[in-house]
Each structure stands twice: as structure tokens, then as C-alpha cells.
Amino acid sequence: MVEKLASRFIGWISIVYIMVCTITSPAQAVVYPDTVNAHIDAEIERFVEAPGFFLLDPNYFGSPEWNSLERFPFGDSPYTGYRDWGMSDAGKGIMALEAFEPVLPHTRYRVSVRNVDGNAEYPNVARLIKVIRFNVGPALAANIQEIYGDQFTPSPVDIGVGRHVAYRFAMFSSQNLPNQIAAISYRVLSESEAQAQDCLGTPCLALTDPGDEDGNWTDISVDEDDDITPYRRRDHQGLSIPTRVADLLSGQKLFGEDLDMVISNNVIGQDMITNGVMLRQDNLQLIRRSEVAGIAAFWSTTGHNEASGETGMVDVIYAFQDGTEGPALRYSLLFETEGRPVQRYTVLTNGSNVLHSDGNTNFIGLADFPGHLYAHAPHDNLALAVWRQNAHMPADQLFAIRVFDTGRREAMGQHLGHELRLVASLPDAGADTYRVWTGPIWTIPNLPSAPGLQTLPGSPFSGHARGLSVVRHNVADALAAYGLIARAEITLHTGIGRERIEALLSDNTDNSRMSLNGTDRQIIRLRIGNLEQVEDGALGKVFDAPPRIAPGSWPGSSSAVAIPLLND
């Protein structure tokens, strides 16, 4: 039973508000009449205690766990300990749901925000927010299986195992304390219920978005850089997180306006795409935002004119479609791991696109997605993910990656090589120790890098053993700006204490000479040879038509890529 939640919550806000005003101004806090409080209480109770919903404790959102630096690294308030300022009702609802539910790689969110008026004198006193998260992974896997067959279908673990859930929130605002959660409840949806749900005219488990089939869309321009968010805006793929999409869409509505929105994350077309569609209730206008990782978002809208424009929707990404006309480099690449066969590749790259060939398979890397790698399936001209990185990335407080320039230089043919020192650490589960990847990396800054290198079978960072795949994207991003990696010797150490991690990361430490005292578990060496420049446009001649990046998995990705360690 939600007993006078609104009146108790508003009273609490009034106390905080009075404390703030005592410091900053003589203004008085708003106190609602008893009849208004009673009406709000009744509306909240009816909403959050709907049949089948279970109540949760709203005090969680005042706890240090919710207001942590891990969740809100950029959040701060001069008045309170709350770090979640600056979020929309819809965005906060999504982030609150994700605090209680496990991360899933392929999701769709349906969000509605409705205002509650106290009376004519007190409009928009509270908001009632519904957030439903659908796990679209199984539907996506079924579609992949139907089109591409069993061998390309991701495993249930890769595609995401999780439930469909509905959450309800009651929120209030007060000066400097926006959208505080007064009540929260949830329930689990069955598969049949999820299949029957509607998302702005489209089935919520469909692999299409609202407005895909009809509607006259016109491109619009939206400035996404004029605000500050308390959370990290992007995930490990470089995509805007659903909370960010909800905040951006909410910024296009009128104050106090009811809204409905649908946000699809890694559902439409391929991985690394997020689309958001919002229905403005004032004029039934649709506003859509579509984003591919590494590429600026597209915005479009309906309802302003009859002319049909570009939709701005991105549902297909092609590899080797652009940037293949200029000069390219060709060289041999090999990885040496103690006790294992040497893995060799012939590499063709111009920095924007790269092709690694082991004689049997062509592996494609794209500069827009440096931590990803795709294998070419010639019979369908598809580019399929070699390793599906769906794991949730740890917070920055839990792992660290740094690249140091040691200042050492070495002649490498007609080029000058620069020695770097890599330090990447990740905590061991259930222990106060870390595993550390460290070692020298020689690069040639004036030659283009080879995106996707970290994911190649045999790479020091390609295996899933002991969390290497979690680090891989971050290593790729950290090294992408340093040019061509010509030589490296990466050692994995285990059981390293926090103090030694801090020393390794310190600018005052000679990392090239620091010993980790026999903690090494694995050494992988990289080197290139036969470096030569080839004719202009060589990359454009590799494929008759640009391969389409598809949502399937390369057969045998897990076993082909993994480099297990002793005793794993």
C-alpha cells in the first residue's frame, strides 16, 4: 500500500528546499493543500499498485549506491548529495530500470510520461512514467537463423538471455532536485504478453521501428553538444546509451507535455545501431534519432510538410564502401605465442579500411569501429562479427588503460619507430588483485593503423580467457591514434595488487624497467615484415561489391579467437 507517498515526499522536498533557500535566497517552499496531496496520493497508488506489480523501495535512489561515482562520474550538486541531476524523466526511468536488471545486448524500450495535475491552480505536480524493456535478442537470433542458417546464428549467451520487464515510477520536481522518485514498482511480462505489445504502431518484438513502413520524413538539425550529463554518454561500442537517447528526445518536447517514445538498441539491421522515436502528444508529430557507432546521429521528423525527404534511418552498414581509392600498404603480420603455432596474415590497409588474410579467410577492419573485426562470407557477400562483444564494460574505476611514450626511437627501414609502453589492467573476480597486460609496442606514426588488429585470432587481446575480450575495445581505442604497430611483446600478469597497478600507471615510474616478479602467465609477440606501398585503389579491387555487415556470428568465433591460458 502506498500510504500518502506524495504528501510525505513533497514534505521532504519542502524541507530540503527551505534549507537551500535559507542559504541562497529568502524564497519560500511550495506547500500543496491537503486536497491536492490526497489526489496525488490516490493517482500514484492506482498507478504503481496496478495488478501484478511489486513495490520496490524508492529510498534506494537516495543511497550512495545509486548516487555513486561509477554510475554518475560527472554528476555533482552544490546543494545535495544527489548526483543524477540533469536527466529527463524518461532517461532516469531507463537508468533506474537498468540498476535492477542485468545488461542485455539487444533491447527495445517503450517509455511513456504522463503529467498529474493537482488541480487547476497546481498543474504538472507529478509525473507517472512507464518503462518496458523488451529482450529482442531471441527474435533477432530467430531471424538470423531463418536467413543465414544455423552456422551463422549466435548462441543464446551471445544474443542475450533475459526477461521482458515493466517498471513504473512516480516522480516529482523541486528546485535543484528534479524528477525525484517517490514510488516504484515492476512486473515481469510473459513471452505472449511481450509479443502482443505495441510500440507506436509496430510490434515491440519486431525487427523494424515505428515509421519504417510509412510516414513522410524530413531531416532536421539538432545540437547534441550543448548540455552536460552526469553519466557516460556512450557504451563500449561507441553508441549513445538508451538513457542518453531518451534525454535527447525529451529535449525536443514542450515543457509539461506528455510523451511516448520507443528506443531500439542493437536491434535494427545490424549491431552498433541505436534508433529512438518519440511521439509528441501536442501535435502527434514523430521525431526520430538514428545513430551508428562512430558516426554522427541522423534526426528527422514528420508532420511539418507534405514533401517526402530522406528518412535519416540507418539500417545497413557496408564494409569497404568508402575510402578505398587512395594509396595502400601491404605487409606480412605474425603472432607468436609460446607453445602454439605461429599465426600469419597478409595485410592490406589504408587506415580507413583493412583486410587481414590468413590464406583461408579475409578479416575486415574498419576505422569507425577499431575494436571490431568481421570475417567475409563470400557466398552471401556478408561481413560477420568474429567475436560478438556483448559484455557490459566495467566502470573506469575498475580498470585502467594507459599508453606511455618511452622516448626511445629506432630506425625501421626508411621509417622512424617510436617505442610505447602499454599498461592495461582488469580486476580479478572475487579478489583484490588484478591481471595486467603490459609490454613494449613499437609504432610507425606516419603510417596508417590497422583497425581490428586486437581482435584477430592470435592477437594478445583477442582471447576471451581471463577477460581479455573485455579489455580489447579499450586497447584498440587507446592505440588507434599511434599509427602502424610494427612490433610488440605483450605479457599477461596475474595476481597483481592495487599498489603495483598505481605504480605502473604513474608518470613517475620507468614502466619499461619495472619488474612484476614472475607473475607472467602468457607472452605474445607481434611483428610485421615485407612492408611495401601498393597501387592506388588496391583496396577497392578486393571485392566485386561492398560486403554488408550482418548481425550474425562468424562460425566458430569463440573457439577460433580464444587463446586459453594454462590452468584456465
Side-chain angles (χ1 to χ4, degrees):
M1 183 80 174
V2 182
E3 184 178 353
K4 297 186 178 178
L5 264 174
S7 56
R8 286 193 287 112
F9 193 79
I10 293 173
W12 176 81
I13 287 181
S14 299
I15 293 172
V16 176
Y17 184 82
I18 291 171
M19 290 173 63
V20 172
C21 292
T22 301
I23 299 172
T24 60
S25 73
Q28 298 298 312
V30 176
V31 178
Y32 296 106
D34 290 343
T35 54
V36 172
N37 286 336
H39 171 67
I40 299 171
D41 285 338
E43 288 296 304
I44 291 176
E45 182 175 325
R46 176 192 60 79
F47 180 69
V48 299
E49 290 196 22
F53 279 80
F54 298 90
L55 292 174
L56 297 173
D57 185 2
N59 290 322
Y60 169 78
F61 300 99
S63 69
E65 183 180 355
W66 169 257
N67 292 285
S68 66
L69 282 170
E70 179 182 338
R71 182 173 281 111
F72 301 114
F74 313 116
D76 195 13
S77 169
Y79 307 107
T80 73
Y82 286 77
R83 304 183 61 83
D84 58 358
W85 57 268
M87 300 169 65
S88 67
D89 297 335
K92 185 168 182 176
I94 290 174
M95 184 163 283
L97 179 152
E98 291 176 340
F100 292 100
E101 299 293 331
V103 174
L104 291 174
H106 306 280
T107 54
R108 175 169 285 128
Y109 294 83
R110 192 185 76 189
V111 185
S112 67
V113 179
R114 298 292 183 265
N115 288 281
V116 178
D117 296 331
N119 55 29
E121 187 177 353
Y122 297 100
N124 300 330
V125 172
R127 277 98 58 213
L128 305 179
I129 295 91
K130 297 180 183 179
V131 182
I132 304 178
R133 189 182 76 172
F134 301 91
N135 179 13
V136 192
L140 184 61
N143 180 256
I144 294 170
Q145 184 179 40
E146 179 181 353
I147 297 175
Y148 306 118
D150 291 341
Q151 64 172 335
F152 297 131
T153 302
S155 70
V157 173
D158 284 339
I159 210 69
V161 178
R163 59 190 188 178
H164 312 291
V165 289
Y167 276 69
R168 294 189 172 194
F169 305 90
M171 297 185 187
F172 293 86
S173 296
S174 124
Q175 185 173 348
N176 301 314
L177 290 171
N179 47 38
Q180 299 303 293
I181 296 176
I184 173 177
S185 63
Y186 81 98
R187 79 178 182 92
V188 178
L189 276 66
S190 67
E191 185 66 24
S192 58
E193 284 182 294
Q195 291 175 356
Q197 294 287 318
D198 177 83
C199 286
L200 297 180
T202 298
C204 292
L205 294 183
L207 302 183
T208 57
D209 263 339
D212 279 3
E213 302 301 327
D214 50 35
N216 296 317
W217 292 93
T218 303
D219 289 349
I220 59 175
S221 177
V222 175
D223 183 4
E224 297 190 1
D225 300 321
D226 61 351
D227 63 337
I228 300 174
T229 60
Y231 51 79
R232 295 180 184 86
R233 299 183 181 188
R234 299 187 184 278
D235 63 13
H236 65 277
Q237 297 185 115
L239 274 177
S240 295
I241 63 174
T243 288
R244 174 63 173 160
V245 177
D247 285 349
L248 289 168
L249 287 171
S250 297
Q252 307 307 308
K253 72 179 183 66
L254 301 177
F255 176 76
E257 177 190 352
D258 292 343
L259 65 83
D260 294 276
M261 67 175 64
V262 174
I263 298 171
S264 304
N265 190 56
N266 288 332
V267 171
I268 307 302
Q270 297 131 275
D271 289 351
M272 302 178 299
I273 293 179
T274 181
N275 295 323
V277 180
M278 181 180 71
L279 175 64
R280 288 183 52 176
Q281 294 291 342
D282 63 331
N283 60 2
L284 298 181
Q285 172 193 1
L286 286 175
I287 297 177
R288 180 163 63 184
R289 179 187 185 274
S290 182
E291 176 189 358
V292 176
I295 301 175
F298 297 87
W299 285 81
S300 52
T301 184
T302 63
H304 282 304
N305 59 58
E306 296 301 322
S308 177
E310 294 293 327
T311 67
M313 179 62 69
V314 180
D315 57 7
V316 177
I317 311 173
Y318 289 96
F320 282 70
Q321 185 172 25
D322 301 308
T324 59
E325 297 79 14
L329 294 175
R330 181 166 52 216
Y331 55 88
S332 59
L333 166 70
L334 61 83
F335 297 116
E336 297 175 304
T337 304
E338 293 174 313
R340 297 182 181 277
V342 174
Q343 291 189 262
R344 304 176 186 274
Y345 297 91
T346 299
V347 183
L348 189 63
T349 179
N350 64 358
S352 297
N353 302 284
V354 62
L355 189 73
H356 305 87
S357 177
D358 65 2
N360 297 311
T361 304
N362 288 327
F363 296 97
I364 298 168
L366 306 175
D368 287 332
F369 318 117
H372 293 265
L373 190 74
Y374 303 90
H376 184 229
H379 55 287
D380 290 319
N381 200 29
L382 300 175
L384 298 167
V386 170
W387 179 265
R388 300 180 61 83
Q389 170 60 27
N390 291 326
H392 181 56
M393 297 303 295
D396 284 347
Q397 287 75 26
L398 298 181
F399 74 93
I401 291 175
R402 289 201 61 185
V403 178
F404 301 86
D405 189 334
T406 67
R408 294 185 177 89
R409 302 294 183 260
E410 177 182 310
M412 294 184 169
Q414 58 183 322
H415 304 285
L416 184 64
H418 292 209
E419 187 192 49
L420 309 175
R421 189 76 177 182
L422 170 72
V423 178
S425 65
L426 189 72
D428 289 309
D432 192 24
T433 58
Y434 290 73
R435 67 212 89 154
V436 177
W437 295 264
T438 186
I441 297 176
W442 286 90
T443 66
I444 302 177
N446 63 314
L447 295 181
S449 63
L453 169 71
Q454 286 76 14
T455 313
L456 274 175
S459 162
F461 304 99
S462 64
H464 66 279
R466 295 189 176 273
L468 276 73
S469 64
V470 178
V471 179
R472 187 188 72 240
H473 286 274
N474 297 273
V475 172
D477 290 340
L479 293 175
Y482 288 96
L484 177 67
I485 297 177
R487 192 170 73 235
E489 183 175 298
I490 304 300
T491 302
L492 169 60
H493 302 266
T494 59
I496 306 299
R498 181 184 295 272
E499 298 77 13
R500 299 177 81 185
I501 297 291
E502 294 173 352
L504 279 169
L505 296 171
S506 170
D507 290 325
N508 299 321
T509 300
D510 185 353
N511 294 280
S512 64
R513 298 182 182 276
M514 184 172 180
S515 172
L516 293 178
N517 298 330
T519 58
D520 57 294
R521 294 288 306 282
Q522 185 182 71
I523 299 176
I524 299 180
R525 297 176 178 88
L526 173 158
R527 56 189 172 92
I528 68 170
N530 305 316
L531 179 65
E532 62 177 344
Q533 186 165 325
V534 296
E535 70 276 9
D536 288 6
L539 273 168
K541 301 174 183 177
V542 174
F543 302 109
D544 293 333
R548 180 168 64 89
I549 297 179
S553 290
W554 180 246
S557 289
S558 298
S559 59
V561 175
I563 306 175
L565 303 177
L566 295 176
N567 303 321
D568 271 359

